């Protein structure tokens, strides 16, 4: 297993981790199989979406902020309930196929680490397993 370190700079943010994930896959030596990504945090997430046009991630973050406001009648007293809810909605894991020693992403796809309660130092665990 490998671990990617991510330093976030904003309260909410989507960070392209394609290069770091590809490096983990290369290092594993696996040619064909699965790459499992796991975020060990309760106020962050991982997702795959369009990375070519930066307006897409802006729309995703703005829409999440509208649907799940920072301030509302939450019970959790830490003040970051919105971040916990966003983490659950987006999810803390992703699986990407591996082919020819690289993540098999679509042309417009980017793997994003999602920060919902930053800035913080974060981790993404990466497990690559062979299917043949
Ligand atoms: Zn909390």
């Amino acid at each position: 297993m490998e671990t990617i370190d991510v330093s976030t700079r904003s309260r909410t943010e989507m960070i392209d981790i394609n290069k770091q994930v590809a490096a983990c896959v290369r290092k594993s030596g696996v040619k064909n199989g699965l790459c499992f990504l796991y975020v060990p945090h309760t106020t962050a997430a991982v997702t795959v979406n369009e990375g070519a046009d930066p307006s897409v991630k802006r729309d995703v973050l703005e829409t999440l902020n509208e649907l799940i406001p920072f301030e509302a009648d939450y019970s959790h007293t830490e003040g970051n309930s919105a971040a916990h809810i966003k983490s659950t909605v987006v999810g803390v894991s992703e699986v990407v196929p591996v082919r020819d020693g690289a993540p098999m992403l679509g042309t417009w796809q980017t793997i994003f680490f999602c920060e919902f309660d930053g800035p913080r130092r974060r981790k993404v665990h990466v497990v690559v397993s062979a299917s043949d």
Side-chain angles (χ1 to χ4, degrees):
M1 188 186 82
E2 296 288 323
T3 299
I4 297 168
D5 292 307
V6 182
S7 290
T8 64
R9 290 161 189 224
S10 304
R11 188 175 192 184
T12 63
E13 187 176 6
M14 289 167 72
I15 297 174
D16 179 342
I17 56 169
N18 272 8
K19 286 195 177 86
Q20 294 95 316
V21 173
C24 292
V25 171
R26 267 196 310 277
K27 198 172 170 189
S28 75
V30 170
K31 292 298 168 207
N32 297 294
L34 295 174
C35 176
F36 177 71
L37 306 170
Y38 187 79
V39 170
H41 304 290
T42 62
T43 54
V46 61
T47 194
V48 178
N49 211 311
E50 170 162 350
D53 180 353
S55 67
V56 172
K57 71 177 181 182
R58 202 157 52 238
D59 286 344
V60 168
L61 288 172
E62 282 177 10
T63 301
L64 283 171
N65 288 343
E66 280 167 27
L67 294 171
I68 306 161
F70 290 106
E71 305 299 330
D73 191 19
Y74 299 123
S75 299
H76 181 53
T77 55
E78 221 179 13
N80 61 353
S81 280
H84 289 296
I85 295 165
K86 288 171 189 167
S87 174
T88 283
V89 167
V90 177
V92 295
S93 65
E94 281 286 354
V95 179
V96 179
V98 171
R99 190 157 189 190
D100 298 327
M104 198 171 77
L105 293 167
T107 305
W108 307 109
Q109 285 186 318
T110 293
I111 304 165
F112 288 105
F113 176 84
C114 303
E115 175 62 80
F116 297 127
D117 194 27
R120 291 180 191 237
R121 295 180 67 95
R122 301 292 204 171
K123 292 185 182 308
V124 182
H125 298 315
V126 183
V127 177
V128 186
S129 59
S131 63
D132 51 359

